[in-house]
Amino acid sequence: MSKKANKVIEVDAVVVKFAGDSGDGMQLSGSQFSDTSAFAGNDLATFPDFPSEIRAPQGTIAGVSGFQLHIGHKEVDTPGDQADVLIALNPAALKANMKWVKDGATIIIDIDNFDNKYYKKAGYIEDPLGDGTLTGYNVVKAPITQLSKSTVKDLGLDSKSAERTKNQFALGILYWLFNKDLKYGEEFIENKFGSKKPLLAEANKRVLRSGYNYAETVEALRTTYQINPIKDRKGLFRNITGNIATSWGLLAAAERADIELYLGSYPITPATEILQELSKRKHLGVKTFQAEDEIAGINSAIGASFAGDLAVTSTSGPGLALKGEAIGLAVITELPLVIVNVQRGGPATGLPTKLEQADLMQALYGRNGESPCVVIAASTPADCFHYAFMAGKIALEHMTPVILLTDGYLANGSELWKLPVISKLPEIKPPFVKDNSDYQPYERNPETLVRSWALPGQEGMRHRIGGLEKEDVTGNVSHNPLNHEKMVGLREEKVQRVANYIPELKVSGEDSGDLLVVGWGGSYGALISAVKDCQGEGKKISLAQFNYIKPMPKNTAEVFSKFSKIVVCELNMGQFANYLRMTFPEFEYLQHNKIQGLPFMISELKEKFNQILEA
Amino acid sequence: MAAEIKTTQVVTKADYKSDQVVKWCAGCGDFAILSAVQSALAESQVRKEDVVFVSGIGCSSRFPYYINTYGFHGLHGRGAAIASGVKIANPKLDVWHITGDGDSMAIGGNHFIHLVRRNIDMNVILFNNKIYGLTKGQYSPTTPRGSITKTSPDGTIENPFKPGELVMGAQGTFFARVVDTEPKRMKEVFLEASKHRGTSVVEVLQNCVIFNNRIHNEITGKDVRDDHQIHLEHGKPMIFGKEKNKGLVLRASRLEVVIIGKNGITEKDILVHDVNNPDDTTHYMLVRMTLPEYPVATGVIRFCDCTGTYDAELELQIEKAKAKPEVKSLQELIEQNSFLVE
């Protein structure tokens, strides 16, 4: 096709936001454009932002679904603070997103939906196209709905299906604007609808091309942008979301331990995808059990663990609360168990689709009795794979429940992932015993304090365990006061000794300086971007991002001691900061907290860091 | 991880005695149940390492400590879920779930009905003494309406569950009822339960000697049991009574007690028990029978192989998926949609 662009500008990175009604296919469009950018060799990070209702009233702010995508020629760590390009399919989408758009950004609107009826629904009093709201922006008023429909009118689709192709029209405009090859978009559509719905595949492909062709003719889009492939990167890559990476990390752990994977879960936003993904993997031997509730999910997993599987339960905050008692059962029976908690805003039902890091204290202490377990946190969508793998490895080798914390932002967000070679991942060696050994269920490895694991079916090792306090070594029921104190101590010490098997804490930046930024888990992207920016400005600032929370890396205090100031940044009221105060009271901790259901913005972090540095 | 099956061992009842001191109250009905289970296991000649007992919380749930098998003493109400996980993870195991009327009808009621609905292959022994024993005498979901207990000083104002009704309501495939005073019948029923593929629920009317003594005496008492109990046997007419002259017939869609020899009724008119009938209508009516209008039904009331078991069907799905895999390995899976950067 002919390209009539007058000007192609090379840029390092660009942030695009898709916004429309929650039935408009914004998530699909986002994924499609992400994949295309990944194939074109760009680095990327994405963030879907959708309401918890499936189809909130059409045209209202509550019903706006968004997908933000940051693509770059260099390393991209976050989905971006603000968008360079906004696609708004209706006035509500425009209104909801104006504050997340850069000055001078390109705003593409579906003019067919910009009328009085929709203005009212969106809560506009005046016509936003005429009242100066959009002054200073490059606005493209495209008749997206109308042109999409006419593109497919001879295909005989019903009018609803025809209208639904409009997301592809908007995408087509983007393919033009960013010089992306339509081939990838067409392949995506083919994979999505494929042979099952050939008519829809054809319609979507046509509309995608129609949008592209339309863009060629529009005056406001004379300038197009080129984001070159990222350099200094070699190997096999793919785009991956956190929930899929978590699922696959668990599969990898089972494979490296050479045992079966069992998942007992109950659907809950934003963790459900893990259950969905693993239930598709029967061909790899996975057993999934959709339980009647959260409690049955984890208890069935404990049963599966007793029987010898790598047992997992996945959930979000409310589900973790329901699982508390059973986590204690896994603690006292000293069985391997992975609990994945994809955090969301709380308390109670809270903000199901929004981001928060407020389950840290629950993960550490939210159970009756002295109930220690390992707590780790993933920090990017792709590294969910690594930390899910490590959760499995630690659970199996240390005979302990491990809580893996991710969050809705990691779970649904995506980034490029350099593929590992599964057979080269570390081997996992659970402490199995041989048949007819002289088995004592609570005899421990003196180095790790880990008990050994005899499985039902094995000869000569019939034994009983359960939730009543165990006698040291034999595992018989015991109410002896001194035995209880000893066992409480042993369980805690066993978890602490996991510190001998995890990496030391590394800082990004110099090992000493004026300010150490401390974060944990999913805030990594924003924190590292802000810290790097400040470093670029010559500031003596470094980042320590924690993935291992209980136990913490052994060199933590040493790392802290090299900085004049420490600021702990987290999306809660200061849970990690308080945990640090408790564990290392010798340091003073400043805090930066945000509890809006939203991630940190790089700009707000930089402002905070500069304020501290100047104080 | 499944163990190899070795067929040479001969198992005796003594193999199932554990070295732990049994800490039930003297005279508790649980002793008889334990003994009957041990006898049934010895008779079934199942490989002893394959047997797993899983329980919840309550007096009955201490059971796994007192029997020498693999055992798991779980959480209150959650035994059914734990046992489900054990069986699904390793379908070769012979899983028994021990529970009580508080454990499975109250706090674990949800898990109980879902276990039955899924028809996971295991045996459930529900010790029904119609009271909370371990917490010392509060009413349970099976306590008769009006009972005075520690938490119902003015009498309960709740209708009790009949466990069998929940089993039928959840499309159960096996239900039996026995009394703890008849060890031989208990053993026979446990053996039937273990033969059945699917969730086999056995309700044992068990006496709590401390907090609810003689609660089942109207059914189990020597002087009344022949007239107040009907012991059902497959293929045999539903006849009961000291004189063996009472029977059950179906009239206007309801069961009715009749006297053989009166009003022209002969033995031929009496219903014959068909334990295997996939249609559970009669089973349901039998389960519901209560004194004084009816005798209480005991024995195996329903034994049906009409639906597959969850554990076996899952294995089948996995086999099928493995025979025609979407990708051959995890490595192949992660490499889908990948691209090489050189």
mmCIF file of all heavy atoms in Angstrom, chain A residues 333-370:
data_model
loop_
_atom_site.group_PDB
_atom_site.id
_atom_site.type_symbol
_atom_site.label_atom_id
_atom_site.label_comp_id
_atom_site.label_asym_id
_atom_site.label_seq_id
_atom_site.Cartn_x
_atom_site.Cartn_y
_atom_site.Cartn_z
ATOM 1 N N THR A 333 1.126 -29.027 60.094
ATOM 2 C CA THR A 333 1.396 -30.347 59.512
ATOM 3 C C THR A 333 2.691 -30.318 58.699
ATOM 4 O O THR A 333 3.149 -31.350 58.232
ATOM 5 C CB THR A 333 0.240 -30.822 58.602
ATOM 6 O OG1 THR A 333 -0.049 -29.805 57.646
ATOM 7 C CG2 THR A 333 -1.022 -31.120 59.405
ATOM 8 N N GLU A 334 3.260 -29.125 58.527
ATOM 9 C CA GLU A 334 4.525 -28.942 57.811
ATOM 10 C C GLU A 334 4.485 -29.626 56.457
ATOM 11 O O GLU A 334 5.325 -30.456 56.113
ATOM 12 C CB GLU A 334 5.711 -29.400 58.672
ATOM 13 C CG GLU A 334 5.722 -28.654 60.015
ATOM 14 C CD GLU A 334 7.021 -28.767 60.793
ATOM 15 O OE1 GLU A 334 8.089 -28.874 60.161
ATOM 16 O OE2 GLU A 334 6.963 -28.730 62.032
ATOM 17 N N LEU A 335 3.453 -29.250 55.682
ATOM 18 C CA LEU A 335 3.301 -29.757 54.326
ATOM 19 C C LEU A 335 3.594 -28.636 53.338
ATOM 20 O O LEU A 335 3.326 -27.468 53.619
ATOM 21 C CB LEU A 335 1.874 -30.259 54.111
ATOM 22 C CG LEU A 335 1.546 -31.628 54.724
ATOM 23 C CD1 LEU A 335 0.051 -31.882 54.688
ATOM 24 C CD2 LEU A 335 2.301 -32.753 54.019
ATOM 25 N N PRO A 336 4.129 -28.989 52.172
ATOM 26 C CA PRO A 336 4.372 -27.959 51.158
ATOM 27 C C PRO A 336 3.064 -27.449 50.575
ATOM 28 O O PRO A 336 2.155 -28.238 50.298
ATOM 29 C CB PRO A 336 5.177 -28.704 50.082
ATOM 30 C CG PRO A 336 4.916 -30.150 50.302
ATOM 31 C CD PRO A 336 4.591 -30.322 51.757
ATOM 32 N N LEU A 337 2.960 -26.149 50.402
ATOM 33 C CA LEU A 337 1.741 -25.556 49.862
ATOM 34 C C LEU A 337 2.079 -24.161 49.356
ATOM 35 O O LEU A 337 2.767 -23.410 50.035
ATOM 36 C CB LEU A 337 0.676 -25.456 50.976
ATOM 37 C CG LEU A 337 -0.658 -24.829 50.599
ATOM 38 C CD1 LEU A 337 -1.451 -25.773 49.687
ATOM 39 C CD2 LEU A 337 -1.497 -24.533 51.845
ATOM 40 N N VAL A 338 1.599 -23.847 48.162
ATOM 41 C CA VAL A 338 1.783 -22.486 47.639
ATOM 42 C C VAL A 338 0.428 -21.790 47.631
ATOM 43 O O VAL A 338 -0.551 -22.332 47.121
ATOM 44 C CB VAL A 338 2.378 -22.498 46.216
ATOM 45 C CG1 VAL A 338 2.448 -21.079 45.653
ATOM 46 C CG2 VAL A 338 3.762 -23.135 46.215
ATOM 47 N N ILE A 339 0.380 -20.605 48.244
ATOM 48 C CA ILE A 339 -0.827 -19.798 48.239
ATOM 49 C C ILE A 339 -0.514 -18.550 47.422
ATOM 50 O O ILE A 339 0.321 -17.744 47.819
ATOM 51 C CB ILE A 339 -1.243 -19.389 49.676
ATOM 52 C CG1 ILE A 339 -1.445 -20.621 50.550
ATOM 53 C CG2 ILE A 339 -2.502 -18.522 49.643
ATOM 54 C CD1 ILE A 339 -0.364 -20.840 51.577
ATOM 55 N N VAL A 340 -1.151 -18.416 46.269
ATOM 56 C CA VAL A 340 -0.925 -17.229 45.446
ATOM 57 C C VAL A 340 -2.001 -16.216 45.796
ATOM 58 O O VAL A 340 -3.191 -16.506 45.688
ATOM 59 C CB VAL A 340 -1.017 -17.563 43.939
ATOM 60 C CG1 VAL A 340 -0.761 -16.315 43.109
ATOM 61 C CG2 VAL A 340 -0.044 -18.673 43.559
ATOM 62 N N ASN A 341 -1.589 -15.046 46.241
ATOM 63 C CA ASN A 341 -2.553 -13.991 46.543
ATOM 64 C C ASN A 341 -2.349 -12.828 45.573
ATOM 65 O O ASN A 341 -1.396 -12.070 45.686
ATOM 66 C CB ASN A 341 -2.389 -13.516 47.991
ATOM 67 C CG ASN A 341 -3.327 -12.360 48.318
ATOM 68 O OD1 ASN A 341 -4.340 -12.161 47.648
ATOM 69 N ND2 ASN A 341 -2.994 -11.584 49.330
ATOM 70 N N VAL A 342 -3.257 -12.724 44.607
ATOM 71 C CA VAL A 342 -3.221 -11.606 43.667
ATOM 72 C C VAL A 342 -3.979 -10.468 44.353
ATOM 73 O O VAL A 342 -5.204 -10.439 44.355
ATOM 74 C CB VAL A 342 -3.867 -11.993 42.322
ATOM 75 C CG1 VAL A 342 -3.689 -10.872 41.313
ATOM 76 C CG2 VAL A 342 -3.266 -13.289 41.782
ATOM 77 N N GLN A 343 -3.222 -9.556 44.945
ATOM 78 C CA GLN A 343 -3.837 -8.523 45.791
ATOM 79 C C GLN A 343 -4.720 -7.562 45.002
ATOM 80 O O GLN A 343 -4.477 -7.289 43.837
ATOM 81 C CB GLN A 343 -2.755 -7.700 46.484
ATOM 82 C CG GLN A 343 -1.875 -8.493 47.421
ATOM 83 C CD GLN A 343 -0.696 -7.655 47.856
ATOM 84 O OE1 GLN A 343 -0.729 -7.023 48.894
ATOM 85 N NE2 GLN A 343 0.340 -7.636 47.053
ATOM 86 N N ARG A 344 -5.729 -7.029 45.700
ATOM 87 C CA ARG A 344 -6.607 -6.011 45.136
ATOM 88 C C ARG A 344 -6.962 -5.048 46.263
ATOM 89 O O ARG A 344 -6.588 -5.275 47.409
ATOM 90 C CB ARG A 344 -7.849 -6.665 44.551
ATOM 91 C CG ARG A 344 -8.757 -7.298 45.598
ATOM 92 C CD ARG A 344 -9.838 -8.146 44.944
ATOM 93 N NE ARG A 344 -11.090 -8.072 45.685
ATOM 94 C CZ ARG A 344 -12.148 -8.843 45.400
ATOM 95 N NH1 ARG A 344 -12.085 -9.711 44.413
ATOM 96 N NH2 ARG A 344 -13.249 -8.724 46.094
ATOM 97 N N GLY A 345 -7.697 -3.998 45.914
ATOM 98 C CA GLY A 345 -8.043 -3.028 46.941
ATOM 99 C C GLY A 345 -9.043 -3.595 47.946
ATOM 100 O O GLY A 345 -9.981 -4.270 47.569
ATOM 101 N N GLY A 346 -8.829 -3.313 49.228
ATOM 102 C CA GLY A 346 -9.710 -3.819 50.275
ATOM 103 C C GLY A 346 -10.138 -2.675 51.163
ATOM 104 O O GLY A 346 -9.890 -1.515 50.828
ATOM 105 N N PRO A 347 -10.775 -2.910 52.297
ATOM 106 C CA PRO A 347 -11.130 -4.217 52.873
ATOM 107 C C PRO A 347 -12.432 -4.771 52.274
ATOM 108 O O PRO A 347 -13.007 -4.160 51.379
ATOM 109 C CB PRO A 347 -11.353 -3.877 54.351
ATOM 110 C CG PRO A 347 -11.882 -2.480 54.326
ATOM 111 C CD PRO A 347 -11.170 -1.807 53.179
ATOM 112 N N ALA A 348 -12.843 -5.931 52.808
ATOM 113 C CA ALA A 348 -14.035 -6.628 52.307
ATOM 114 C C ALA A 348 -13.940 -6.774 50.794
ATOM 115 O O ALA A 348 -12.884 -7.065 50.273
ATOM 116 C CB ALA A 348 -15.319 -5.933 52.749
ATOM 117 N N THR A 349 -15.016 -6.491 50.078
ATOM 118 C CA THR A 349 -14.958 -6.653 48.629
ATOM 119 C C THR A 349 -14.117 -5.544 48.002
ATOM 120 O O THR A 349 -13.465 -5.737 46.986
ATOM 121 C CB THR A 349 -16.395 -6.665 48.044
ATOM 122 O OG1 THR A 349 -17.148 -7.592 48.818
ATOM 123 C CG2 THR A 349 -16.415 -7.098 46.609
ATOM 124 N N GLY A 350 -14.097 -4.390 48.657
ATOM 125 C CA GLY A 350 -13.167 -3.325 48.297
ATOM 126 C C GLY A 350 -13.218 -2.908 46.846
ATOM 127 O O GLY A 350 -14.275 -2.590 46.311
ATOM 128 N N LEU A 351 -12.049 -2.911 46.206
ATOM 129 C CA LEU A 351 -11.925 -2.519 44.805
ATOM 130 C C LEU A 351 -11.410 -3.727 44.026
ATOM 131 O O LEU A 351 -10.203 -3.879 43.848
ATOM 132 C CB LEU A 351 -10.929 -1.358 44.668
ATOM 133 C CG LEU A 351 -11.211 -0.086 45.454
ATOM 134 C CD1 LEU A 351 -9.973 0.816 45.450
ATOM 135 C CD2 LEU A 351 -12.393 0.659 44.871
ATOM 136 N N PRO A 352 -12.326 -4.579 43.561
ATOM 137 C CA PRO A 352 -11.891 -5.863 42.994
ATOM 138 C C PRO A 352 -10.923 -5.755 41.824
ATOM 139 O O PRO A 352 -10.065 -6.604 41.661
ATOM 140 C CB PRO A 352 -13.190 -6.523 42.549
ATOM 141 C CG PRO A 352 -14.247 -5.883 43.379
ATOM 142 C CD PRO A 352 -13.789 -4.475 43.609
ATOM 143 N N THR A 353 -11.092 -4.715 41.011
ATOM 144 C CA THR A 353 -10.243 -4.655 39.814
ATOM 145 C C THR A 353 -9.114 -3.636 39.964
ATOM 146 O O THR A 353 -8.406 -3.357 39.019
ATOM 147 C CB THR A 353 -11.078 -4.282 38.567
ATOM 148 O OG1 THR A 353 -11.720 -3.031 38.821
ATOM 149 C CG2 THR A 353 -12.134 -5.331 38.283
ATOM 150 N N LYS A 354 -8.976 -3.092 41.173
ATOM 151 C CA LYS A 354 -7.964 -2.040 41.338
ATOM 152 C C LYS A 354 -6.791 -2.529 42.174
ATOM 153 O O LYS A 354 -6.858 -3.537 42.862
ATOM 154 C CB LYS A 354 -8.588 -0.795 41.980
ATOM 155 C CG LYS A 354 -9.783 -0.239 41.216
ATOM 156 C CD LYS A 354 -9.411 0.318 39.854
ATOM 157 C CE LYS A 354 -10.669 0.744 39.095
ATOM 158 N NZ LYS A 354 -10.415 0.962 37.677
ATOM 159 N N LEU A 355 -5.758 -1.718 42.127
ATOM 160 C CA LEU A 355 -4.471 -2.123 42.679
ATOM 161 C C LEU A 355 -4.266 -1.670 44.119
ATOM 162 O O LEU A 355 -4.583 -0.531 44.462
ATOM 163 C CB LEU A 355 -3.384 -1.502 41.791
ATOM 164 C CG LEU A 355 -1.945 -1.573 42.271
ATOM 165 C CD1 LEU A 355 -1.462 -2.997 42.287
ATOM 166 C CD2 LEU A 355 -1.080 -0.724 41.367
ATOM 167 N N GLU A 356 -3.728 -2.541 44.941
ATOM 168 C CA GLU A 356 -3.329 -2.175 46.299
ATOM 169 C C GLU A 356 -2.339 -3.219 46.795
ATOM 170 O O GLU A 356 -2.392 -4.374 46.390
ATOM 171 C CB GLU A 356 -4.570 -2.137 47.209
ATOM 172 C CG GLU A 356 -4.452 -1.173 48.378
ATOM 173 C CD GLU A 356 -5.832 -0.795 48.922
ATOM 174 O OE1 GLU A 356 -6.454 0.138 48.403
ATOM 175 O OE2 GLU A 356 -6.282 -1.473 49.869
ATOM 176 N N GLN A 357 -1.448 -2.807 47.708
ATOM 177 C CA GLN A 357 -0.494 -3.749 48.294
ATOM 178 C C GLN A 357 -0.782 -3.896 49.777
ATOM 179 O O GLN A 357 0.126 -3.879 50.601
ATOM 180 C CB GLN A 357 0.938 -3.213 48.143
ATOM 181 C CG GLN A 357 1.438 -3.088 46.727
ATOM 182 C CD GLN A 357 2.885 -2.629 46.723
ATOM 183 O OE1 GLN A 357 3.212 -1.530 47.163
ATOM 184 N NE2 GLN A 357 3.782 -3.489 46.250
ATOM 185 N N ALA A 358 -2.051 -4.046 50.120
ATOM 186 C CA ALA A 358 -2.421 -3.940 51.525
ATOM 187 C C ALA A 358 -2.649 -5.285 52.218
ATOM 188 O O ALA A 358 -3.181 -5.323 53.313
ATOM 189 C CB ALA A 358 -3.652 -3.042 51.665
ATOM 190 N N ASP A 359 -2.215 -6.375 51.575
ATOM 191 C CA ASP A 359 -2.381 -7.686 52.208
ATOM 192 C C ASP A 359 -1.091 -8.195 52.836
ATOM 193 O O ASP A 359 -0.977 -9.374 53.176
ATOM 194 C CB ASP A 359 -2.851 -8.727 51.178
ATOM 195 C CG ASP A 359 -4.276 -8.481 50.709
ATOM 196 O OD1 ASP A 359 -4.980 -7.684 51.357
ATOM 197 O OD2 ASP A 359 -4.666 -9.082 49.697
ATOM 198 N N LEU A 360 -0.112 -7.311 52.982
ATOM 199 C CA LEU A 360 1.182 -7.777 53.497
ATOM 200 C C LEU A 360 1.067 -8.293 54.929
ATOM 201 O O LEU A 360 1.536 -9.388 55.255
ATOM 202 C CB LEU A 360 2.196 -6.635 53.433
ATOM 203 C CG LEU A 360 3.593 -7.033 53.893
ATOM 204 C CD1 LEU A 360 4.232 -7.989 52.905
ATOM 205 C CD2 LEU A 360 4.485 -5.815 54.080
ATOM 206 N N MET A 361 0.431 -7.497 55.782
ATOM 207 C CA MET A 361 0.296 -7.915 57.181
ATOM 208 C C MET A 361 -0.572 -9.169 57.283
ATOM 209 O O MET A 361 -0.322 -10.039 58.099
ATOM 210 C CB MET A 361 -0.306 -6.790 58.026
ATOM 211 C CG MET A 361 0.685 -5.682 58.321
ATOM 212 S SD MET A 361 2.094 -6.278 59.289
ATOM 213 C CE MET A 361 3.082 -4.807 59.407
ATOM 214 N N GLN A 362 -1.586 -9.237 56.425
ATOM 215 C CA GLN A 362 -2.430 -10.438 56.428
ATOM 216 C C GLN A 362 -1.596 -11.672 56.066
ATOM 217 O O GLN A 362 -1.729 -12.726 56.678
ATOM 218 C CB GLN A 362 -3.603 -10.282 55.453
ATOM 219 C CG GLN A 362 -4.547 -11.474 55.540
ATOM 220 C CD GLN A 362 -5.710 -11.490 54.564
ATOM 221 O OE1 GLN A 362 -6.701 -12.118 54.861
ATOM 222 N NE2 GLN A 362 -5.605 -10.844 53.436
ATOM 223 N N ALA A 363 -0.743 -11.523 55.061
ATOM 224 C CA ALA A 363 0.086 -12.658 54.644
ATOM 225 C C ALA A 363 1.041 -13.061 55.757
ATOM 226 O O ALA A 363 1.257 -14.239 56.022
ATOM 227 C CB ALA A 363 0.856 -12.301 53.376
ATOM 228 N N LEU A 364 1.597 -12.066 56.433
ATOM 229 C CA LEU A 364 2.580 -12.362 57.485
ATOM 230 C C LEU A 364 1.926 -12.884 58.755
ATOM 231 O O LEU A 364 2.423 -13.818 59.380
ATOM 232 C CB LEU A 364 3.380 -11.096 57.822
ATOM 233 C CG LEU A 364 4.431 -10.659 56.794
ATOM 234 C CD1 LEU A 364 4.876 -9.229 57.075
ATOM 235 C CD2 LEU A 364 5.629 -11.608 56.818
ATOM 236 N N TYR A 365 0.805 -12.272 59.140
ATOM 237 C CA TYR A 365 0.281 -12.543 60.485
ATOM 238 C C TYR A 365 -1.206 -12.898 60.548
ATOM 239 O O TYR A 365 -1.725 -13.097 61.645
ATOM 240 C CB TYR A 365 0.498 -11.308 61.370
ATOM 241 C CG TYR A 365 1.942 -10.857 61.427
ATOM 242 C CD1 TYR A 365 2.326 -9.638 60.890
ATOM 243 C CD2 TYR A 365 2.911 -11.676 62.004
ATOM 244 C CE1 TYR A 365 3.649 -9.226 60.925
ATOM 245 C CE2 TYR A 365 4.237 -11.276 62.043
ATOM 246 C CZ TYR A 365 4.594 -10.049 61.496
ATOM 247 O OH TYR A 365 5.893 -9.659 61.544
ATOM 248 N N GLY A 366 -1.877 -12.961 59.407
ATOM 249 C CA GLY A 366 -3.329 -13.091 59.462
ATOM 250 C C GLY A 366 -3.852 -14.473 59.808
ATOM 251 O O GLY A 366 -4.713 -15.009 59.107
ATOM 252 N N ARG A 367 -3.338 -15.061 60.882
ATOM 253 C CA ARG A 367 -3.788 -16.401 61.287
ATOM 254 C C ARG A 367 -3.779 -16.497 62.799
ATOM 255 O O ARG A 367 -3.120 -15.722 63.479
ATOM 256 C CB ARG A 367 -2.835 -17.461 60.729
ATOM 257 C CG ARG A 367 -2.855 -17.573 59.235
ATOM 258 C CD ARG A 367 -1.775 -18.477 58.715
ATOM 259 N NE ARG A 367 -0.432 -17.929 58.819
ATOM 260 C CZ ARG A 367 0.071 -16.985 58.027
ATOM 261 N NH1 ARG A 367 -0.663 -16.470 57.074
ATOM 262 N NH2 ARG A 367 1.303 -16.533 58.190
ATOM 263 N N ASN A 368 -4.493 -17.505 63.323
ATOM 264 C CA ASN A 368 -4.448 -17.725 64.762
ATOM 265 C C ASN A 368 -3.146 -18.410 65.159
ATOM 266 O O ASN A 368 -2.573 -19.174 64.391
ATOM 267 C CB ASN A 368 -5.656 -18.549 65.225
ATOM 268 C CG ASN A 368 -5.702 -19.925 64.594
ATOM 269 O OD1 ASN A 368 -5.592 -20.061 63.378
ATOM 270 N ND2 ASN A 368 -5.820 -20.955 65.400
ATOM 271 N N GLY A 369 -2.679 -18.100 66.346
ATOM 272 C CA GLY A 369 -1.479 -18.742 66.868
ATOM 273 C C GLY A 369 -0.207 -18.217 66.221
ATOM 274 O O GLY A 369 -0.232 -17.347 65.360
ATOM 275 N N GLU A 370 0.921 -18.741 66.672
ATOM 276 C CA GLU A 370 2.207 -18.422 66.046
ATOM 277 C C GLU A 370 2.268 -19.263 64.788
ATOM 278 O O GLU A 370 2.412 -20.474 64.857
ATOM 279 C CB GLU A 370 3.363 -18.775 66.988
ATOM 280 C CG GLU A 370 3.364 -17.993 68.305
ATOM 281 C CD GLU A 370 3.697 -16.525 68.099
ATOM 282 O OE1 GLU A 370 4.109 -16.144 66.995
ATOM 283 O OE2 GLU A 370 3.527 -15.744 69.058
#
